Each structure stands twice: as structure tokens, then as C-alpha cells.
Amino acid sequence: MNTAMLTAYKVLCEVYDSKAFSTLALNKYINGAVGSDKALATKIVYGVLDTDIQTDYVLSKFARKIKPQARLFLKMGAYCLLHLSIPEYAVVNDVVELSKVTGDKYIVGFINATLKNISKAIKKDEITYPDGIEGLCIKYSYPQWAFSKLIKDYGLEEATKIATFSLPVGDCVRVNTNVMSVDEFVKACNAELTPTILPDAFTVKGRITSVENNAYTMQSLASMLVSRAVGVENRPCKVLDCCSAPGGKAVYIKQLAPKASVTAQELHPHRVQLIEDYFNRMGEQAEIVCGDATQFNEQWENAFDYVLCDVPCSGFGVLNSRPDIKLFRQNQDISNLMKLQQAILSNCSRYVKKGGTLVYSTCTVFYHENMFCIERFLKSNTDFQLSPIDMPFYKPVDGQTNYQFLPYKDGIQGFFVAKIKKI
């Protein structure tokens, strides 16, 4: 049996059946795979999740009724046939062999016949999609409710660019300069490194095995830029990261400002442990607190120079690393998220000193979770005003007070960041 297919199937079962996060499920099973099997399993997992809408549509054209036990095998096969350069006979054979775990000969035969029919249709260029927005959403597997929001926020042309652009799944590594210099890391690292716009960060191809894991950390470039946007470099100040887990932004802030006193808050105890582990691994210290960012802590009133609100959001800016978001996120979730975002922003603004700075960030591209939330906050909090963003190595327009990264335009994940100063 193809081990890459088997690994991918186990991961996808957890995502589809238990709504597990794709990254966590993948990490759970991928350690058992090696080399090319690991790469292929990862590609299949992300690909099947990313193209879910498209493959469902294609399958509907070749099978009126699909038993639940057969659907995932068919999704895997259809994705491989549509998007990977694996020979058709190998795809069909591997998926059919895998489907034998069901113990149902009818399902095995049905999968074999359906995949062969899909393959023939692909060769004859007979796979077509409806015209207009519906067809575009099917072809690029983008939920139509989400695309409608993009059109409202950006207009049809830019919405189409956002929905159809596929940012590659890739790792970005940041050097822990407390352990070794960037030059030392580059010389010691056995993986292929490509410089980024930040002097301490690289995109990486391959597995790093030649350097101790406390000498670097995996962190997206957009996440690093949010930490940089806070603007604490080398300042003796007090910083609160109020929704901190897993802790990457707080750790980076501490490393950018060694004289700063950093407090990291998180709601869930098991995620508090993630922050503690992160700080320990990177050799940094912070006050780590289990608490609710929507509930006022009187001890923190007017206590911080900088407060970072990296709030829970819909996640539509990080679909390349979390394609399962498109499966489970619904339109009605946005209004609930907006209420939570506003509650966190309003509560945590009370922790900012006069003259201090409140930084709001998300990893989504929707206006109502981003600038709308800021505008709404400012209307009822006249003692705050927008403040220019200063990001070394990444220069927004002079005086710009917020930035929406867009993958098709910036080549990084779709984070949003805005700064507000207490006057």
C-alpha cells in the first residue's frame, strides 16, 4: 500500500470526521513518514482540503449517489488526477488499494470505475464549470459567501485576484540571534535557505537537522511583521500580548526589545502551556497569564506602553496553511467573531497608558473584521487616534495607519495590522 496515501488518508479522516485542525492532524501522523512520502502526503492533505468544493462538484458529475465511506477516497483520487502529475494508473491503483480497508467490495469497485471515468474526461478536456461567479468559486474552491464579501470589500477584479491566487505552502524560519548569529546559522544549516525582507528570517526548503531547535523557530513572515509593527525595538517598556498563544509574536517582541517587560495572556490553560514552552525553548522570559481578554483586570488598568490584540478571526488570510477553514467556517460565524473582536479591543484598550499604543491584528482579509472594527472602536473612544505604522524593512506609505497584506500582492499571508495611540 502507498504509505503517502495512507498517511494522507489518516490525516484527512481526522479533519473531515472530527474537524481537527489540518496542521495538528498532519503533525500527528507525518512523523511516521519519511522523505518523499512525507512531502507527497503533505501535498495531498493540503490539496484535498484546498480543492474540496471543486472535487465535490466534479464527483457530482460522475456519481449521483456516493456512500459516505467512499467519498474521501474519491476526493483524494479526484484531486490527484486533476492537480498532480502522477500517472493515472498509479492514482487509481493506489486509491483502490487504500479503499480495501473498508472491506466492502462494492465500494472498491465503485471507486475504481468512477476514478477511471474522471481520468478519461480529464484526458478529453471534458471537465467544465458553470459561467460567472458560481463557476469561478467552484473552479478555485472558494466559498461563495466569502467571495461575495470580497466583492463588497474590494470590487470584483481584486476579489477575483484574492480568491484565485494560491500562495505556496512553505515554511519560514526566524533565527534566534540570542543563540547564534544569522551568518552562523546560514553556515550551519543543512536546508536550502532563501533570504526574505527581514534580516533574521528565511524561507526554507527541506528539513533542518544540523542546528539545535532553540537556534531558530518556524514563524510566518506576516506574523513577524506584526511584531515589528508594534514598534518596541530596544525600548525599556511594558508590553501586553492579550491573545498570545502559541506565543510567537510575544517571543519575537521580547527578542526585538530585550529591555521590555512582556506579559502574555491566553484564555485556555493548555494553550498557556504552549506559550511557556515557546519562551523556554527560545531562552526568553515573560509573565504568562491564563485569563479572558474580554474580562477587565483592574491590576492592568493604564499599565502598559503597548498592547497587542491579535484577535480570533475567520482566518481567510492563511488559507495556504489552514485550508480546512474553507470547509468549516460559515457566513454566520463572522458576526459572532466581530462581537468578540470588539469586546477584546474595548476591554484591552483600558490597559494602555496615556501616550501608549494599541495594536490590532488579524489573519483575515475581510473589512468587517479589520478596519471596520477599528473605525467602530474610535467612534466610541475619542481618547484614541490612529497612529502611523513604522515597520523597519517593510515600509508602508508614509503616515499609513493600517495595512492589509494580500497574498497575491505582497507574497505573504493575508494579515491585517493597525495602530491606535491613546492621547
Side-chain angles (χ1 to χ4, degrees), residues 3-12 14 22-46 171 207:
T3 54
M5 282 280 191
L6 178 59
T7 300
Y9 176 71
K10 290 177 179 178
V11 174
L12 290 167
E14 291 216 358
S22 55
T23 48
L24 297 180
L26 190 60
N27 288 338
K28 177 179 176 180
Y29 289 103
I30 204 69
N31 291 330
V34 293
S36 58
D37 284 343
K38 181 178 289 189
L40 181 57
T42 301
K43 194 173 189 69
I44 291 172
V45 167
Y46 281 109
D171 293 321
R207 188 181 176 191

Short mmCIF file of all heavy atoms in Angstrom, two decimals, residues 3-12 14 22-46 171 207:
data_model
loop_
_atom_site.label_atom_id
_atom_site.label_comp_id
_atom_site.label_asym_id
_atom_site.label_seq_id
_atom_site.Cartn_x
_atom_site.Cartn_y
_atom_site.Cartn_z
N THR A 3 2.36 4.36 1.16
CA THR A 3 2.40 4.91 2.52
C THR A 3 2.02 6.39 2.56
O THR A 3 1.46 6.86 3.55
CB THR A 3 3.79 4.71 3.15
OG1 THR A 3 4.79 5.26 2.29
CG2 THR A 3 4.07 3.23 3.37
N ALA A 4 2.36 7.13 1.50
CA ALA A 4 1.98 8.55 1.46
C ALA A 4 0.46 8.68 1.42
O ALA A 4 -0.12 9.53 2.12
CB ALA A 4 2.61 9.23 0.25
N MET A 5 -0.18 7.86 0.60
CA MET A 5 -1.65 7.87 0.51
C MET A 5 -2.26 7.49 1.85
O MET A 5 -3.23 8.11 2.30
CB MET A 5 -2.11 6.89 -0.57
CG MET A 5 -1.98 7.40 -1.98
SD MET A 5 -3.33 8.52 -2.41
CE MET A 5 -3.08 8.66 -4.18
N LEU A 6 -1.70 6.47 2.48
CA LEU A 6 -2.25 6.01 3.76
C LEU A 6 -2.12 7.09 4.83
O LEU A 6 -3.07 7.35 5.58
CB LEU A 6 -1.53 4.74 4.21
CG LEU A 6 -1.96 4.16 5.56
CD1 LEU A 6 -3.45 3.81 5.55
CD2 LEU A 6 -1.13 2.93 5.90
N THR A 7 -0.95 7.74 4.88
CA THR A 7 -0.75 8.82 5.86
C THR A 7 -1.74 9.96 5.60
O THR A 7 -2.36 10.48 6.54
CB THR A 7 0.68 9.36 5.78
OG1 THR A 7 1.60 8.29 6.05
CG2 THR A 7 0.91 10.48 6.78
N ALA A 8 -1.88 10.35 4.34
CA ALA A 8 -2.80 11.43 3.99
C ALA A 8 -4.23 11.06 4.37
O ALA A 8 -4.99 11.90 4.88
CB ALA A 8 -2.71 11.74 2.50
N TYR A 9 -4.61 9.81 4.13
CA TYR A 9 -5.96 9.36 4.45
C TYR A 9 -6.23 9.45 5.95
O TYR A 9 -7.30 9.93 6.37
CB TYR A 9 -6.15 7.91 3.97
CG TYR A 9 -7.49 7.32 4.34
CD1 TYR A 9 -8.67 7.75 3.73
CD2 TYR A 9 -7.58 6.33 5.32
CE1 TYR A 9 -9.89 7.21 4.08
CE2 TYR A 9 -8.80 5.78 5.67
CZ TYR A 9 -9.95 6.23 5.06
OH TYR A 9 -11.17 5.70 5.41
N LYS A 10 -5.27 9.05 6.77
CA LYS A 10 -5.45 9.12 8.22
C LYS A 10 -5.64 10.57 8.69
O LYS A 10 -6.50 10.86 9.53
CB LYS A 10 -4.24 8.50 8.93
CG LYS A 10 -4.13 7.00 8.78
CD LYS A 10 -2.86 6.50 9.46
CE LYS A 10 -2.73 4.98 9.35
NZ LYS A 10 -1.46 4.48 9.96
N VAL A 11 -4.83 11.46 8.12
CA VAL A 11 -4.94 12.88 8.48
C VAL A 11 -6.31 13.42 8.07
O VAL A 11 -7.00 14.09 8.84
CB VAL A 11 -3.82 13.70 7.82
CG1 VAL A 11 -4.02 15.19 8.08
CG2 VAL A 11 -2.45 13.26 8.33
N LEU A 12 -6.70 13.15 6.83
CA LEU A 12 -7.95 13.69 6.29
C LEU A 12 -9.16 13.14 7.03
O LEU A 12 -10.16 13.85 7.20
CB LEU A 12 -8.05 13.40 4.79
CG LEU A 12 -7.06 14.19 3.93
CD1 LEU A 12 -6.99 13.62 2.52
CD2 LEU A 12 -7.47 15.67 3.88
N GLU A 14 -9.33 12.57 10.19
CA GLU A 14 -9.46 13.36 11.42
C GLU A 14 -10.03 14.75 11.12
O GLU A 14 -10.80 15.29 11.91
CB GLU A 14 -8.09 13.49 12.11
CG GLU A 14 -7.60 12.18 12.69
CD GLU A 14 -6.84 12.37 14.00
OE1 GLU A 14 -6.66 13.51 14.44
OE2 GLU A 14 -6.45 11.34 14.58
N SER A 22 -6.00 20.97 10.46
CA SER A 22 -5.18 20.22 9.50
C SER A 22 -3.72 20.16 9.92
O SER A 22 -3.06 19.12 9.79
CB SER A 22 -5.30 20.83 8.10
OG SER A 22 -4.99 22.20 8.11
N THR A 23 -3.20 21.29 10.43
CA THR A 23 -1.78 21.32 10.82
C THR A 23 -1.50 20.36 11.97
O THR A 23 -0.49 19.65 11.97
CB THR A 23 -1.37 22.75 11.22
OG1 THR A 23 -2.35 23.27 12.13
CG2 THR A 23 -1.30 23.66 10.02
N LEU A 24 -2.40 20.33 12.96
CA LEU A 24 -2.20 19.44 14.11
C LEU A 24 -2.34 17.98 13.71
O LEU A 24 -1.55 17.13 14.15
CB LEU A 24 -3.19 19.79 15.22
CG LEU A 24 -3.07 21.19 15.82
CD1 LEU A 24 -4.12 21.39 16.92
CD2 LEU A 24 -1.67 21.43 16.38
N ALA A 25 -3.34 17.68 12.89
CA ALA A 25 -3.54 16.30 12.45
C ALA A 25 -2.36 15.83 11.60
O ALA A 25 -1.92 14.68 11.71
CB ALA A 25 -4.85 16.18 11.66
N LEU A 26 -1.86 16.72 10.76
CA LEU A 26 -0.72 16.37 9.92
C LEU A 26 0.51 16.08 10.77
O LEU A 26 1.22 15.10 10.55
CB LEU A 26 -0.44 17.50 8.92
CG LEU A 26 0.56 17.22 7.80
CD1 LEU A 26 0.08 16.06 6.93
CD2 LEU A 26 0.76 18.46 6.95
N ASN A 27 0.77 16.94 11.74
CA ASN A 27 1.93 16.73 12.62
C ASN A 27 1.81 15.42 13.40
O ASN A 27 2.82 14.78 13.72
CB ASN A 27 2.07 17.90 13.60
CG ASN A 27 2.55 19.16 12.92
OD1 ASN A 27 3.17 19.11 11.86
ND2 ASN A 27 2.26 20.31 13.52
N LYS A 28 0.59 15.03 13.69
CA LYS A 28 0.37 13.80 14.45
C LYS A 28 0.82 12.56 13.68
O LYS A 28 1.37 11.62 14.25
CB LYS A 28 -1.13 13.69 14.80
CG LYS A 28 -1.52 12.43 15.55
CD LYS A 28 -3.01 12.44 15.87
CE LYS A 28 -3.46 11.14 16.53
NZ LYS A 28 -4.91 11.17 16.84
N TYR A 29 0.58 12.56 12.36
CA TYR A 29 0.85 11.36 11.57
C TYR A 29 2.09 11.45 10.70
O TYR A 29 2.63 10.43 10.27
CB TYR A 29 -0.35 11.06 10.67
CG TYR A 29 -1.56 10.57 11.42
CD1 TYR A 29 -2.63 11.42 11.67
CD2 TYR A 29 -1.64 9.26 11.88
CE1 TYR A 29 -3.74 10.98 12.37
CE2 TYR A 29 -2.75 8.81 12.58
CZ TYR A 29 -3.81 9.68 12.82
OH TYR A 29 -4.91 9.23 13.50
N ILE A 30 2.56 12.66 10.40
CA ILE A 30 3.60 12.82 9.39
C ILE A 30 4.95 12.32 9.88
O ILE A 30 5.82 11.94 9.07
CB ILE A 30 3.72 14.30 8.96
CG1 ILE A 30 4.34 14.40 7.56
CG2 ILE A 30 4.52 15.10 9.96
CD1 ILE A 30 3.46 13.89 6.47
N ASN A 31 5.16 12.27 11.21
CA ASN A 31 6.46 11.82 11.72
C ASN A 31 6.75 10.37 11.37
O ASN A 31 7.90 9.95 11.35
CB ASN A 31 6.52 12.01 13.24
CG ASN A 31 6.57 13.48 13.62
OD1 ASN A 31 7.08 14.29 12.87
ND2 ASN A 31 6.03 13.81 14.79
N GLY A 32 5.70 9.61 11.09
CA GLY A 32 5.90 8.22 10.70
C GLY A 32 6.30 8.05 9.26
O GLY A 32 6.72 6.97 8.83
N ALA A 33 6.21 9.13 8.47
CA ALA A 33 6.59 9.07 7.06
C ALA A 33 8.00 9.61 6.89
O ALA A 33 8.52 10.33 7.74
CB ALA A 33 5.61 9.88 6.22
N VAL A 34 8.62 9.27 5.78
CA VAL A 34 9.99 9.74 5.54
C VAL A 34 10.12 10.27 4.11
O VAL A 34 9.42 9.85 3.20
CB VAL A 34 11.03 8.61 5.75
CG1 VAL A 34 11.10 8.19 7.19
CG2 VAL A 34 10.71 7.41 4.85
N GLY A 35 11.05 11.23 3.94
CA GLY A 35 11.45 11.70 2.62
C GLY A 35 10.31 12.08 1.71
O GLY A 35 9.44 12.88 2.06
N SER A 36 10.29 11.47 0.53
CA SER A 36 9.30 11.81 -0.49
C SER A 36 7.89 11.45 -0.05
O SER A 36 6.92 12.10 -0.46
CB SER A 36 9.64 11.11 -1.81
OG SER A 36 9.68 9.69 -1.63
N ASP A 37 7.75 10.41 0.77
CA ASP A 37 6.42 10.05 1.27
C ASP A 37 5.83 11.17 2.12
O ASP A 37 4.64 11.48 2.03
CB ASP A 37 6.49 8.77 2.12
CG ASP A 37 6.64 7.52 1.28
OD1 ASP A 37 6.36 7.59 0.07
OD2 ASP A 37 7.03 6.48 1.83
N LYS A 38 6.67 11.79 2.94
CA LYS A 38 6.22 12.88 3.79
C LYS A 38 5.78 14.06 2.93
O LYS A 38 4.74 14.67 3.17
CB LYS A 38 7.34 13.31 4.74
CG LYS A 38 6.98 14.44 5.67
CD LYS A 38 8.12 14.78 6.62
CE LYS A 38 8.31 13.71 7.65
NZ LYS A 38 9.26 14.12 8.72
N ALA A 39 6.57 14.39 1.91
CA ALA A 39 6.25 15.52 1.03
C ALA A 39 4.95 15.27 0.27
O ALA A 39 4.10 16.16 0.15
CB ALA A 39 7.40 15.77 0.06
N LEU A 40 4.80 14.05 -0.25
CA LEU A 40 3.59 13.73 -1.02
C LEU A 40 2.36 13.70 -0.12
O LEU A 40 1.29 14.21 -0.50
CB LEU A 40 3.76 12.39 -1.74
CG LEU A 40 2.56 11.95 -2.60
CD1 LEU A 40 2.22 13.00 -3.65
CD2 LEU A 40 2.85 10.60 -3.26
N ALA A 41 2.49 13.12 1.06
CA ALA A 41 1.36 13.08 1.99
C ALA A 41 0.91 14.48 2.34
O ALA A 41 -0.30 14.78 2.37
CB ALA A 41 1.74 12.31 3.25
N THR A 42 1.87 15.36 2.62
CA THR A 42 1.54 16.76 2.93
C THR A 42 0.83 17.43 1.78
O THR A 42 -0.17 18.14 1.96
CB THR A 42 2.83 17.53 3.29
OG1 THR A 42 3.46 16.90 4.41
CG2 THR A 42 2.51 18.98 3.64
N LYS A 43 1.35 17.21 0.57
CA LYS A 43 0.76 17.81 -0.63
C LYS A 43 -0.68 17.34 -0.84
O LYS A 43 -1.57 18.12 -1.16
CB LYS A 43 1.60 17.48 -1.86
CG LYS A 43 1.27 18.32 -3.08
CD LYS A 43 2.26 18.04 -4.20
CE LYS A 43 2.09 19.04 -5.34
NZ LYS A 43 2.51 20.39 -4.98
N ILE A 44 -0.91 16.05 -0.63
CA ILE A 44 -2.26 15.50 -0.82
C ILE A 44 -3.21 16.06 0.24
O ILE A 44 -4.35 16.44 -0.09
CB ILE A 44 -2.22 13.96 -0.78
CG1 ILE A 44 -1.50 13.42 -2.02
CG2 ILE A 44 -3.65 13.40 -0.73
CD1 ILE A 44 -1.24 11.93 -1.98
N VAL A 45 -2.77 16.11 1.49
CA VAL A 45 -3.64 16.62 2.57
C VAL A 45 -4.06 18.05 2.27
O VAL A 45 -5.26 18.38 2.24
CB VAL A 45 -2.92 16.56 3.93
CG1 VAL A 45 -3.68 17.38 4.98
CG2 VAL A 45 -2.80 15.12 4.39
N TYR A 46 -3.09 18.93 2.03
CA TYR A 46 -3.42 20.33 1.76
C TYR A 46 -4.21 20.47 0.47
O TYR A 46 -5.13 21.29 0.38
CB TYR A 46 -2.15 21.17 1.72
CG TYR A 46 -1.60 21.52 3.08
CD1 TYR A 46 -0.43 20.94 3.56
CD2 TYR A 46 -2.26 22.42 3.90
CE1 TYR A 46 0.07 21.26 4.83
CE2 TYR A 46 -1.77 22.75 5.16
CZ TYR A 46 -0.61 22.16 5.61
OH TYR A 46 -0.13 22.48 6.86
N ASP A 171 7.57 26.96 4.50
CA ASP A 171 8.00 27.31 5.85
C ASP A 171 8.88 28.54 5.82
O ASP A 171 9.65 28.77 4.89
CB ASP A 171 8.78 26.15 6.47
CG ASP A 171 7.90 24.93 6.72
OD1 ASP A 171 6.75 25.13 7.13
OD2 ASP A 171 8.37 23.80 6.52
N ARG A 207 14.32 19.84 5.49
CA ARG A 207 14.23 19.70 6.95
C ARG A 207 15.54 20.12 7.60
O ARG A 207 16.62 19.66 7.17
CB ARG A 207 13.89 18.26 7.31
CG ARG A 207 13.60 18.05 8.78
CD ARG A 207 13.29 16.58 9.04
NE ARG A 207 13.08 16.33 10.46
CZ ARG A 207 13.01 15.12 11.00
NH1 ARG A 207 13.13 14.06 10.23
NH2 ARG A 207 12.82 14.98 12.29
#
